[in-house]
């Protein structure tokens, strides 16, 4: 059993991933944290010093390294499903769960760390909401391939049991 949690930045992937792993006694991995450990750089620094294309390459490699664990929950990065056939790979090697949320709610959840997010680097404050909406529209083609859809309103500590019961 391998569960991949996907969704836009601020959708609660790491928050719920950690809680659901504790609840279900599964191992837990945060893809961004694995990348940081591998590169010995923050995500912001990887984007700045090496560029997004490099980040996406490492992200795909680190994602595939989770194949070694048969019993785990993996919180992906917001862009993970959209590059290097990652969504197809995740669907072939586990169960994908999409945490879906409205753009205003996502922005609220991210507001404190918004300036550390590489994707928002050159976006004016007044344009962030529109940018999020555009990005979600663009990424939906990948996000919508998830096997399980979880709107923000139905996410709670016990949701993991619902997920496991449908697998
Ligand atoms: C990204 C989301 C981030 C991180 C990187 C790129 C994206 O992860 O991987 O900044 O493209 O949406 P979180 O969604 O965990 O913040």
């Amino acid at each position: 059993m391998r569960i991949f949690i996907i969704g836009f930045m601020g959708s609660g992937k790491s928050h719920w991933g950690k809680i659901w792993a504790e609840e279900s006694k599964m191992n837990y991995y945060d893809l961004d944290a694995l990348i940081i450990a591998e590169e010995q750089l923050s995500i912001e620094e990887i984007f700045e010093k090496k560029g997004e294309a490099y980040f996406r390459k490492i992200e795909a490699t680190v994602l595939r390294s989770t194949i070694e664990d048969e019993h785990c929950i993996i919180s992906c990065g917001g862009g993970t499903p959209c590059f290097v056939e990652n969504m197809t790979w995740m669907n072939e090697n586990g169960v994908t769960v999409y945490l879906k949320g409205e753009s205003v709610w996502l922005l609220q959840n991210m507001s404190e760390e918004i300036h550390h997010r590489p994707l928002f680097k050159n976006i004016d404050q007044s344009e962030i909401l529109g940018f999020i909406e555009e990005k979600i529209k663009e990424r939906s083609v990948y996000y919508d391939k998830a096997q399980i859809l979880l709107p923000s309103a139905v996410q709670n500590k016990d949701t993991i049991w619902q997920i496991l019961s449908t697998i």
Side-chain angles (χ1 to χ4, degrees), residues 144-163:
D144 290 343
K145 288 187 180 145
Q147 290 148 10
I148 297 176
L149 168 67
L150 277 184
S152 53
V154 303
Q155 297 159 15
N156 61 58
K157 188 164 76 67
D158 297 321
T159 315
I160 185 62
W161 305 116
Q162 273 165 263
I163 297 172

Side-chain angles (χ1 to χ4, degrees), residues 30-43 46 58 62:
D30 180 307
L31 203 57
D32 278 347
L34 293 178
I35 296 169
I36 292 166
E38 174 79 22
E39 291 290 300
Q40 294 291 298
L41 289 172
S42 69
I43 301 294
I46 301 173
I58 298 296
V62 173

Side-chain angles (χ1 to χ4, degrees), residues 74-156:
I74 300 134
S75 298
C76 297
T80 311
C82 318
F83 297 88
V84 207
E85 299 291 332
N86 290 340
M87 195 62 198
T88 308
W89 186 86
M90 290 190 278
N91 276 329
E92 284 170 0
N93 291 284
V95 175
T96 46
V97 178
Y98 174 24
L99 305 191
K100 192 170 184 173
E102 292 295 326
S103 51
V104 174
W105 178 79
L106 294 168
L107 180 56
Q108 266 167 13
N109 294 348
M110 282 188 279
S111 59
E112 277 175 26
E113 345 107 61
I114 203 106
H115 301 296
H116 297 292
R117 303 208 172 245
L119 249 61
F120 299 131
K121 209 86 207 154
N122 300 312
I123 312 289
D124 192 78
Q125 189 76 25
S126 62
E127 287 170 359
I128 286 187
L129 195 60
F131 177 80
I132 293 175
E133 279 161 8
E134 264 315 296
K135 268 275 168 243
I136 292 176
K137 215 182 282 170
E138 189 186 303
R139 290 179 167 185
S140 288
V141 58
Y142 302 100
Y143 290 161
D144 290 343
K145 288 187 180 145
Q147 290 148 10
I148 297 176
L149 168 67
L150 277 184
S152 53
V154 303
Q155 297 159 15
N156 61 58

